Amino acid sequence: VLIEMFARESIYPRDMDPAAIINGVLTEGLRPQIPVDTPYVFIKLIESCWQTDPSLRPAFEKIGKILGQPTEKIFGYQPKV
């Protein structure tokens, strides 16, 4: 859902068969491209939710803590290069 919010459009081609999307995700690691203007915090959250091993995905409590941060902190953070 997060990636769809930042993409502001369908994340897979509209003419792509839903079964092909499901199969691609499950067997080939198919993932949509994260828009370049997505805040870093959300990129890391989206990528962590995509882990193929469910034990490596964040718990809802952790997701809640991330999303519960002040807006300025979420949207203002960028990694130090």
Side-chain angles (χ1 to χ4, degrees):
V1 174
L2 281 175
I3 192 165
E4 291 175 345
M5 287 172 41
F6 290 106
R8 296 178 291 280
E9 62 186 4
S10 180
I11 56 174
Y12 293 106
R14 293 194 185 277
D15 60 346
M16 190 171 185
D17 178 42
I21 295 171
I22 293 168
N23 186 56
V25 169
L26 295 176
T27 63
E28 301 168 24
L30 177 67
R31 298 290 188 257
Q33 186 169 348
I34 299 173
V36 296
D37 61 343
T38 302
Y40 181 76
V41 172
F42 290 109
I43 292 171
K44 299 315 288 177
L45 179 57
I46 290 165
E47 289 174 343
S48 67
C49 289
W50 284 347
Q51 290 290 327
T52 55
D53 181 347
S55 69
L56 298 176
R57 296 177 195 150
F60 281 112
E61 182 178 309
K62 183 174 182 176
I63 294 170
K65 284 182 181 180
I66 292 169
L67 297 177
Q69 295 179 48
T71 305
E72 300 81 24
K73 184 173 182 178
I74 293 175
F75 287 92
Y77 175 80
Q78 292 298 321
K80 293 180 180 162
V81 181

Coordinates of all heavy atoms in Angstrom, one line a residue:
V1 N 0.8 -1.2 0.0 CA 0.0 0.0 0.0 C 0.9 1.3 0.0 O 0.6 2.2 -0.7 CB -1.0 0.0 1.2 CG1 -1.7 1.3 1.3 CG2 -1.9 -1.2 1.2
L2 N 2.0 1.2 0.8 CA 2.8 2.4 0.8 C 3.4 2.8 -0.6 O 3.4 4.0 -1.0 CB 4.0 2.2 1.7 CG 3.8 2.3 3.2 CD1 5.0 1.9 4.0 CD2 3.3 3.7 3.6
I3 N 3.8 1.8 -1.3 CA 4.4 2.1 -2.6 C 3.4 2.7 -3.6 O 3.6 3.6 -4.4 CB 5.1 0.9 -3.2 CG1 5.9 1.3 -4.4 CG2 4.1 -0.2 -3.6 CD1 6.9 0.3 -4.9
E4 N 2.1 2.2 -3.4 CA 1.1 2.8 -4.3 C 0.8 4.2 -3.9 O 0.5 5.0 -4.8 CB -0.2 1.9 -4.1 CG 0.0 0.5 -4.8 CD -1.2 -0.4 -4.5 OE1 -2.1 -0.1 -3.7 OE2 -1.3 -1.4 -5.2
M5 N 0.9 4.6 -2.7 CA 0.7 6.0 -2.3 C 1.8 6.9 -2.9 O 1.4 8.0 -3.4 CB 0.8 6.1 -0.7 CG -0.4 5.5 0.0 SD -0.2 5.4 1.8 CE 0.6 6.9 2.2
F6 N 3.0 6.4 -2.9 CA 4.1 7.3 -3.5 C 4.1 7.2 -5.0 O 4.5 8.2 -5.6 CB 5.4 6.9 -2.9 CG 5.5 7.3 -1.4 CD1 5.4 6.4 -0.4 CD2 5.6 8.6 -1.1 CE1 5.5 6.7 0.9 CE2 5.7 9.0 0.2 CZ 5.6 8.1 1.3
A7 N 3.7 6.1 -5.6 CA 3.7 6.0 -7.1 C 2.6 6.8 -7.7 O 2.7 7.3 -8.8 CB 3.6 4.5 -7.5
R8 N 1.5 6.9 -6.9 CA 0.3 7.7 -7.4 C -0.2 7.1 -8.7 O -0.8 7.9 -9.5 CB 0.6 9.2 -7.5 CG 1.0 9.8 -6.2 CD 1.3 11.3 -6.3 NE 2.6 11.6 -6.9 CZ 3.8 11.5 -6.4 NH1 3.9 11.1 -5.1 NH2 4.9 11.8 -7.0
E9 N 0.0 5.9 -9.0 CA -0.5 5.2 -10.2 C -0.4 3.7 -9.9 O 0.2 3.3 -8.9 CB 0.2 5.6 -11.4 CG 1.7 5.3 -11.4 CD 2.5 5.8 -12.6 OE1 1.9 6.5 -13.4 OE2 3.7 5.6 -12.7
S10 N -0.9 2.9 -10.9 CA -0.8 1.5 -10.8 C 0.7 1.1 -10.7 O 1.5 1.6 -11.5 CB -1.5 0.8 -11.9 OG -1.4 -0.6 -11.8
I11 N 1.1 0.2 -9.8 CA 2.5 -0.2 -9.7 C 2.9 -1.2 -10.7 O 4.1 -1.4 -10.9 CB 2.8 -0.6 -8.3 CG1 2.0 -1.7 -7.8 CG2 2.8 0.6 -7.3 CD1 2.3 -2.3 -6.4
Y12 N 2.0 -1.9 -11.3 CA 2.3 -2.9 -12.4 C 1.5 -2.4 -13.6 O 0.4 -1.8 -13.4 CB 1.9 -4.3 -11.9 CG 2.7 -4.8 -10.8 CD1 2.2 -5.0 -9.5 CD2 4.0 -5.2 -11.0 CE1 3.0 -5.5 -8.5 CE2 4.8 -5.8 -10.0 CZ 4.3 -5.9 -8.7 OH 5.1 -6.4 -7.7
P13 N 1.9 -2.8 -14.8 CA 1.2 -2.4 -16.0 C -0.3 -2.9 -15.9 O -0.6 -4.0 -15.4 CB 1.9 -3.2 -17.1 CG 3.3 -3.4 -16.6 CD 3.1 -3.6 -15.1
R14 N -1.2 -2.0 -16.2 CA -2.6 -2.3 -16.1 C -3.0 -3.6 -16.9 O -4.0 -4.2 -16.6 CB -3.5 -1.1 -16.5 CG -3.3 0.0 -15.5 CD -4.4 1.0 -15.7 NE -4.2 2.2 -14.9 CZ -4.6 2.3 -13.6 NH1 -5.2 1.2 -13.1 NH2 -4.4 3.3 -12.9
D15 N -2.3 -3.8 -18.0 CA -2.7 -4.9 -18.9 C -2.0 -6.2 -18.4 O -2.1 -7.3 -19.0 CB -2.3 -4.7 -20.3 CG -0.8 -4.4 -20.6 OD1 -0.1 -4.1 -19.6 OD2 -0.4 -4.4 -21.7
M16 N -1.2 -6.2 -17.3 CA -0.5 -7.4 -16.8 C -1.5 -8.2 -16.1 O -2.3 -7.7 -15.2 CB 0.6 -7.0 -15.9 CG 1.5 -8.1 -15.5 SD 3.0 -7.5 -14.7 CE 3.9 -9.0 -14.5
D17 N -1.6 -9.5 -16.4 CA -2.5 -10.4 -15.8 C -2.2 -10.5 -14.3 O -1.1 -10.8 -13.9 CB -2.3 -11.8 -16.5 CG -3.2 -12.9 -15.9 OD1 -4.4 -12.6 -15.6 OD2 -2.7 -14.0 -15.7
P18 N -3.2 -10.4 -13.4 CA -3.0 -10.5 -12.0 C -2.3 -11.8 -11.6 O -1.5 -11.8 -10.7 CB -4.4 -10.4 -11.4 CG -5.2 -9.6 -12.4 CD -4.6 -10.0 -13.7
A19 N -2.7 -12.9 -12.3 CA -2.0 -14.2 -11.9 C -0.6 -14.1 -12.2 O 0.3 -14.7 -11.5 CB -2.7 -15.3 -12.7
A20 N -0.2 -13.4 -13.3 CA 1.2 -13.3 -13.7 C 2.0 -12.5 -12.6 O 3.1 -12.8 -12.3 CB 1.4 -12.7 -15.1
I21 N 1.3 -11.5 -12.1 CA 1.9 -10.7 -11.0 C 2.2 -11.5 -9.8 O 3.3 -11.5 -9.2 CB 1.0 -9.4 -10.7 CG1 0.9 -8.5 -11.9 CG2 1.6 -8.7 -9.4 CD1 -0.1 -7.4 -11.7
I22 N 1.2 -12.3 -9.4 CA 1.3 -13.1 -8.2 C 2.4 -14.1 -8.4 O 3.3 -14.3 -7.6 CB -0.1 -13.8 -7.9 CG1 -1.1 -12.8 -7.4 CG2 0.1 -14.9 -6.8 CD1 -2.5 -13.3 -7.4
N23 N 2.4 -14.8 -9.6 CA 3.4 -15.8 -9.9 C 4.8 -15.1 -9.9 O 5.8 -15.7 -9.4 CB 3.1 -16.4 -11.2 CG 4.1 -17.6 -11.5 OD1 4.2 -18.5 -10.7 ND2 4.8 -17.4 -12.6
G24 N 4.9 -13.9 -10.5 CA 6.2 -13.2 -10.5 C 6.7 -12.9 -9.1 O 7.9 -13.0 -8.9
V25 N 5.8 -12.4 -8.3 CA 6.2 -12.1 -6.9 C 6.7 -13.3 -6.2 O 7.7 -13.3 -5.5 CB 5.1 -11.4 -6.2 CG1 5.3 -11.3 -4.7 CG2 4.8 -10.0 -6.8
L26 N 5.9 -14.4 -6.3 CA 6.2 -15.6 -5.5 C 7.4 -16.4 -6.0 O 8.1 -17.0 -5.2 CB 5.0 -16.5 -5.5 CG 3.7 -16.0 -4.7 CD1 2.6 -16.9 -4.9 CD2 4.1 -15.7 -3.3
T27 N 7.6 -16.5 -7.3 CA 8.6 -17.3 -7.9 C 9.8 -16.6 -8.4 O 10.9 -17.2 -8.6 CB 8.0 -18.2 -9.0 OG1 7.6 -17.4 -10.1 CG2 6.9 -19.1 -8.5
E28 N 9.7 -15.3 -8.8 CA 10.8 -14.6 -9.4 C 11.2 -13.4 -8.7 O 12.1 -12.6 -9.1 CB 10.4 -14.2 -10.9 CG 10.0 -15.4 -11.7 CD 9.4 -15.0 -13.0 OE1 9.6 -13.9 -13.5 OE2 8.6 -15.8 -13.6
G29 N 10.6 -13.1 -7.5 CA 11.0 -11.9 -6.7 C 10.6 -10.6 -7.4 O 11.2 -9.6 -7.2
L30 N 9.5 -10.7 -8.2 CA 9.1 -9.5 -8.9 C 8.6 -8.4 -7.9 O 7.9 -8.7 -7.0 CB 7.9 -9.8 -9.8 CG 7.2 -8.7 -10.6 CD1 8.1 -8.1 -11.6 CD2 5.9 -9.1 -11.2
R31 N 9.2 -7.2 -8.1 CA 8.8 -6.1 -7.2 C 8.7 -4.9 -8.1 O 9.5 -4.7 -9.0 CB 9.9 -5.8 -6.1 CG 10.1 -7.0 -5.2 CD 8.8 -7.1 -4.2 NE 9.1 -8.1 -3.2 CZ 8.6 -9.3 -3.1 NH1 7.9 -9.7 -4.2 NH2 8.8 -10.1 -2.1
P32 N 7.8 -4.0 -7.8 CA 7.7 -2.7 -8.6 C 8.9 -1.8 -8.2 O 9.5 -2.0 -7.2 CB 6.4 -2.1 -8.2 CG 6.2 -2.7 -6.8 CD 6.8 -4.0 -6.8
Q33 N 9.2 -0.9 -9.1 CA 10.3 0.1 -8.8 C 9.7 1.1 -7.9 O 8.6 1.6 -8.0 CB 10.7 0.8 -10.1 CG 11.9 1.7 -9.9 CD 12.5 2.1 -11.2 OE1 12.2 1.6 -12.3 NE2 13.4 3.1 -11.1
I34 N 10.5 1.4 -6.8 CA 10.1 2.4 -5.9 C 10.4 3.8 -6.5 O 11.5 4.1 -6.9 CB 10.8 2.3 -4.5 CG1 10.5 0.9 -3.9 CG2 10.5 3.4 -3.6 CD1 11.3 0.5 -2.7
P35 N 9.4 4.7 -6.5 CA 9.6 6.0 -7.1 C 10.8 6.7 -6.4 O 11.0 6.6 -5.2 CB 8.3 6.8 -6.8 CG 7.2 5.7 -6.7 CD 8.0 4.5 -6.0
V36 N 11.5 7.5 -7.2 CA 12.7 8.1 -6.7 C 12.4 9.2 -5.6 O 13.3 9.5 -4.8 CB 13.6 8.8 -7.8 CG1 14.1 7.7 -8.8 CG2 12.8 9.8 -8.6
D37 N 11.2 9.8 -5.6 CA 10.9 10.8 -4.7 C 10.3 10.3 -3.4 O 9.9 11.0 -2.5 CB 10.0 11.9 -5.3 CG 8.6 11.3 -5.7 OD1 8.5 10.0 -5.9 OD2 7.7 12.1 -6.0
T38 N 10.4 8.9 -3.2 CA 9.9 8.3 -2.0 C 10.9 8.6 -0.8 O 12.1 8.4 -1.0 CB 9.8 6.8 -2.1 OG1 8.9 6.5 -3.2 CG2 9.2 6.1 -0.9
P39 N 10.4 9.1 0.3 CA 11.3 9.4 1.4 C 12.0 8.1 1.9 O 11.5 7.0 1.8 CB 10.3 9.8 2.5 CG 9.2 10.4 1.8 CD 9.0 9.5 0.6
Y40 N 13.3 8.3 2.2 CA 14.2 7.2 2.6 C 13.6 6.2 3.6 O 13.7 5.0 3.5 CB 15.5 7.8 3.1 CG 16.5 6.7 3.5 CD1 17.2 6.0 2.5 CD2 16.8 6.4 4.8 CE1 18.1 5.1 2.8 CE2 17.7 5.4 5.1 CZ 18.4 4.8 4.2 OH 19.3 3.8 4.5
V41 N 12.9 6.8 4.6 CA 12.3 6.0 5.7 C 11.3 5.0 5.1 O 11.3 3.8 5.5 CB 11.7 6.8 6.8 CG1 10.9 6.0 7.8 CG2 12.7 7.7 7.5
F42 N 10.6 5.4 4.1 CA 9.6 4.6 3.5 C 10.2 3.6 2.5 O 9.7 2.4 2.4 CB 8.5 5.4 2.8 CG 7.6 6.1 3.7 CD1 7.7 7.5 3.9 CD2 6.7 5.5 4.5 CE1 6.9 8.2 4.7 CE2 5.9 6.1 5.4 CZ 6.0 7.5 5.5
I43 N 11.3 4.0 1.9 CA 12.0 3.0 1.0 C 12.5 1.8 1.9 O 12.3 0.7 1.5 CB 13.2 3.7 0.3 CG1 12.7 4.7 -0.7 CG2 14.1 2.6 -0.3 CD1 13.8 5.6 -1.3
K44 N 13.1 2.1 3.0 CA 13.6 1.1 3.9 C 12.4 0.2 4.4 O 12.6 -1.0 4.5 CB 14.4 1.6 5.0 CG 15.7 2.4 4.6 CD 16.5 1.8 3.5 CE 17.3 0.6 3.9 NZ 18.0 -0.1 2.8
L45 N 11.3 0.8 4.8 CA 10.2 0.1 5.3 C 9.6 -0.8 4.2 O 9.3 -2.0 4.4 CB 9.1 1.1 5.8 CG 7.9 0.4 6.4 CD1 8.2 -0.6 7.5 CD2 6.9 1.5 6.9
I46 N 9.4 -0.3 3.0 CA 8.9 -1.1 1.9 C 9.8 -2.3 1.6 O 9.3 -3.4 1.5 CB 8.7 -0.2 0.6 CG1 7.6 0.8 0.8 CG2 8.4 -1.1 -0.6 CD1 7.5 1.9 -0.2
E47 N 11.1 -2.0 1.5 CA 12.0 -3.1 1.2 C 12.0 -4.1 2.3 O 12.1 -5.3 2.0 CB 13.4 -2.5 1.0 CG 13.5 -1.7 -0.3 CD 14.9 -1.0 -0.5 OE1 15.6 -0.9 0.5 OE2 15.2 -0.7 -1.6
S48 N 11.9 -3.7 3.6 CA 11.9 -4.7 4.7 C 10.6 -5.5 4.6 O 10.7 -6.7 5.0 CB 12.1 -4.0 6.0 OG 11.0 -3.2 6.3
C49 N 9.5 -4.9 4.2 CA 8.3 -5.7 4.1 C 8.3 -6.7 3.0 O 7.5 -7.6 2.9 CB 7.1 -4.7 4.0 SG 6.7 -3.8 5.5
W50 N 9.2 -6.5 2.0 CA 9.3 -7.4 0.9 C 10.2 -8.6 1.1 O 10.4 -9.4 0.2 CB 9.9 -6.6 -0.3 CG 8.9 -5.7 -1.0 CD1 7.6 -5.7 -0.9 CD2 9.2 -4.7 -2.0 NE1 7.0 -4.7 -1.7 CE2 8.0 -4.1 -2.4 CE3 10.4 -4.3 -2.6 CZ2 8.0 -3.1 -3.3 CZ3 10.4 -3.3 -3.5 CH2 9.2 -2.7 -3.9
Q51 N 10.8 -8.7 2.3 CA 11.6 -9.8 2.6 C 10.9 -11.1 2.3 O 9.8 -11.3 2.7 CB 12.1 -9.8 4.1 CG 13.0 -8.7 4.4 CD 14.4 -8.9 3.8 OE1 14.9 -10.1 3.7 NE2 15.0 -7.8 3.5
T52 N 11.6 -12.1 1.6 CA 11.0 -13.3 1.3 C 10.8 -14.2 2.6 O 9.9 -15.0 2.6 CB 11.8 -14.1 0.2 OG1 13.2 -14.2 0.7 CG2 11.8 -13.4 -1.1
D53 N 11.7 -14.0 3.5 CA 11.6 -14.8 4.8 C 10.7 -14.0 5.7 O 11.1 -12.9 6.2 CB 13.0 -15.0 5.4 CG 13.0 -15.7 6.7 OD1 11.9 -15.9 7.3 OD2 14.1 -16.1 7.1
P54 N 9.5 -14.5 6.1 CA 8.6 -13.7 6.9 C 9.2 -13.3 8.3 O 8.9 -12.3 8.8 CB 7.4 -14.7 7.1 CG 7.5 -15.6 6.0 CD 9.0 -15.7 5.6
S55 N 10.2 -14.1 8.8 CA 10.7 -13.7 10.1 C 11.6 -12.5 10.0 O 12.0 -11.9 11.0 CB 11.6 -14.9 10.6 OG 12.7 -15.1 9.9
L56 N 12.0 -12.1 8.8 CA 12.8 -10.9 8.6 C 12.0 -9.6 8.4 O 12.5 -8.5 8.3 CB 13.8 -11.1 7.4 CG 14.8 -12.2 7.6 CD1 15.6 -12.4 6.4 CD2 15.7 -12.0 8.8
R57 N 10.7 -9.8 8.2 CA 9.8 -8.7 8.0 C 9.5 -8.0 9.3 O 9.5 -8.6 10.3 CB 8.5 -9.1 7.3 CG 8.7 -9.7 6.0 CD 7.4 -10.2 5.4 NE 7.6 -11.1 4.3 CZ 6.8 -12.1 3.9 NH1 5.7 -12.3 4.6 NH2 7.1 -12.8 2.9
P58 N 9.3 -6.7 9.3 CA 9.0 -6.0 10.6 C 7.7 -6.4 11.1 O 6.7 -6.6 10.4 CB 9.1 -4.5 10.2 CG 8.7 -4.5 8.7 CD 9.3 -5.8 8.2
A59 N 7.6 -6.4 12.5 CA 6.4 -6.7 13.2 C 5.5 -5.4 13.1 O 6.0 -4.3 12.9 CB 6.7 -7.0 14.6
F60 N 4.2 -5.6 13.2 CA 3.3 -4.4 13.1 C 3.6 -3.4 14.2 O 3.5 -2.2 13.9 CB 1.8 -4.9 13.3 CG 1.3 -5.5 12.0 CD1 1.0 -6.8 12.0 CD2 1.0 -4.7 10.9 CE1 0.4 -7.4 10.8 CE2 0.5 -5.2 9.8 CZ 0.2 -6.6 9.7
E61 N 4.1 -3.8 15.3 CA 4.5 -2.8 16.4 C 5.6 -1.9 15.8 O 5.6 -0.7 16.0 CB 5.0 -3.6 17.6 CG 5.4 -2.7 18.7 CD 5.8 -3.4 20.0 OE1 5.0 -4.3 20.4 OE2 6.9 -3.1 20.5
K62 N 6.6 -2.5 15.2 CA 7.7 -1.7 14.6 C 7.2 -0.8 13.5 O 7.6 0.4 13.4 CB 8.8 -2.6 14.1 CG 10.0 -1.8 13.6 CD 11.1 -2.7 13.2 CE 12.3 -1.8 12.7 NZ 13.5 -2.6 12.4
I63 N 6.3 -1.3 12.6 CA 5.7 -0.5 11.6 C 5.0 0.7 12.2 O 5.1 1.8 11.8 CB 4.8 -1.3 10.7 CG1 5.7 -2.3 9.9 CG2 4.0 -0.4 9.7 CD1 4.9 -3.4 9.1
G64 N 4.2 0.4 13.2 CA 3.5 1.5 13.9 C 4.4 2.5 14.5 O 4.1 3.7 14.5
K65 N 5.5 2.1 15.1 CA 6.4 3.1 15.6 C 7.0 4.0 14.5 O 7.2 5.2 14.7 CB 7.6 2.4 16.4 CG 7.1 1.9 17.7 CD 8.3 1.2 18.4 CE 7.9 0.7 19.8 NZ 8.9 0.0 20.5
I66 N 7.3 3.4 13.4 CA 7.9 4.2 12.3 C 6.8 5.2 11.8 O 7.1 6.3 11.6 CB 8.3 3.2 11.1 CG1 9.5 2.4 11.6 CG2 8.6 4.0 9.9 CD1 9.9 1.3 10.7
L67 N 5.6 4.7 11.5 CA 4.6 5.5 11.0 C 4.1 6.5 12.0 O 3.5 7.5 11.6 CB 3.4 4.7 10.5 CG 3.8 3.8 9.3 CD1 2.6 2.9 8.9 CD2 4.3 4.5 8.1
G68 N 4.3 6.3 13.3 CA 3.8 7.2 14.3 C 4.8 8.3 14.6 O 4.5 9.2 15.5
Q69 N 5.9 8.4 14.0 CA 6.9 9.4 14.2 C 6.3 10.7 13.6 O 5.5 10.7 12.7 CB 8.2 9.1 13.5 CG 8.9 7.9 14.0 CD 10.2 7.6 13.3 OE1 11.0 8.5 13.0 NE2 10.4 6.4 12.9
P70 N 6.8 11.9 14.1 CA 6.4 13.2 13.6 C 6.7 13.2 12.1 O 7.7 12.8 11.6 CB 7.3 14.2 14.3 CG 7.7 13.4 15.6 CD 7.8 12.0 15.2
T71 N 5.8 13.9 11.4 CA 5.9 14.0 9.9 C 7.2 14.6 9.5 O 7.8 14.1 8.5 CB 4.7 14.8 9.4 OG1 3.5 14.3 9.8 CG2 4.7 14.9 7.9
E72 N 7.6 15.6 10.2 CA 8.9 16.3 9.9 C 10.1 15.3 9.9 O 11.0 15.3 9.1 CB 9.2 17.5 10.8 CG 8.1 18.5 10.8 CD 6.9 18.2 11.7 OE1 7.0 17.4 12.6 OE2 5.9 18.7 11.4
K73 N 10.0 14.4 10.9 CA 11.1 13.4 11.0 C 11.1 12.4 9.9 O 12.1 12.1 9.3 CB 11.0 12.7 12.4 CG 12.1 11.8 12.6 CD 12.1 11.2 14.0 CE 13.3 10.3 14.3 NZ 13.3 9.8 15.6
I74 N 9.9 11.9 9.6 CA 9.8 10.9 8.5 C 10.2 11.5 7.1 O 10.9 10.9 6.4 CB 8.3 10.4 8.4 CG1 8.0 9.6 9.7 CG2 8.1 9.5 7.2 CD1 6.6 9.1 9.8
F75 N 9.6 12.6 6.8 CA 9.8 13.2 5.5 C 11.1 14.0 5.4 O 11.6 14.3 4.3 CB 8.6 14.1 5.1 CG 7.4 13.2 4.7 CD1 6.5 12.9 5.7 CD2 7.3 12.7 3.4 CE1 5.4 12.1 5.4 CE2 6.2 12.0 3.1 CZ 5.2 11.7 4.1
G76 N 11.7 14.4 6.5 CA 12.9 15.1 6.4 C 14.2 14.3 6.5 O 15.3 14.8 6.2
Y77 N 14.1 13.1 6.9 CA 15.3 12.2 7.1 C 15.9 11.8 5.7 O 15.1 11.3 4.9 CB 15.0 11.0 7.9 CG 16.2 10.1 8.0 CD1 17.3 10.4 8.9 CD2 16.4 9.0 7.2 CE1 18.4 9.6 9.0 CE2 17.5 8.2 7.3 CZ 18.5 8.5 8.2 OH 19.6 7.7 8.2
Q78 N 17.1 12.0 5.5 CA 17.9 11.4 4.4 C 19.1 10.8 4.9 O 19.8 11.3 5.8 CB 18.2 12.5 3.3 CG 17.0 13.1 2.7 CD 16.2 12.0 1.8 OE1 16.8 11.2 1.2 NE2 14.9 12.1 1.9
P79 N 19.6 9.7 4.3 CA 20.8 9.0 4.8 C 22.0 9.9 4.6 O 22.0 10.7 3.7 CB 20.9 7.8 4.0 CG 20.2 8.1 2.7 CD 19.0 9.0 3.1
K80 N 23.0 9.8 5.5 CA 24.2 10.5 5.3 C 25.1 9.8 4.3 O 25.3 8.6 4.4 CB 24.9 10.6 6.7 CG 24.1 11.5 7.6 CD 24.8 11.6 9.0 CE 23.9 12.5 9.8 NZ 24.2 12.4 11.2
V81 N 25.5 10.5 3.3 CA 26.3 9.9 2.3 C 27.8 10.1 2.5 O 28.3 11.0 3.1 CB 25.9 10.5 0.9 CG1 26.7 9.9 -0.2 CG2 24.5 10.3 0.7

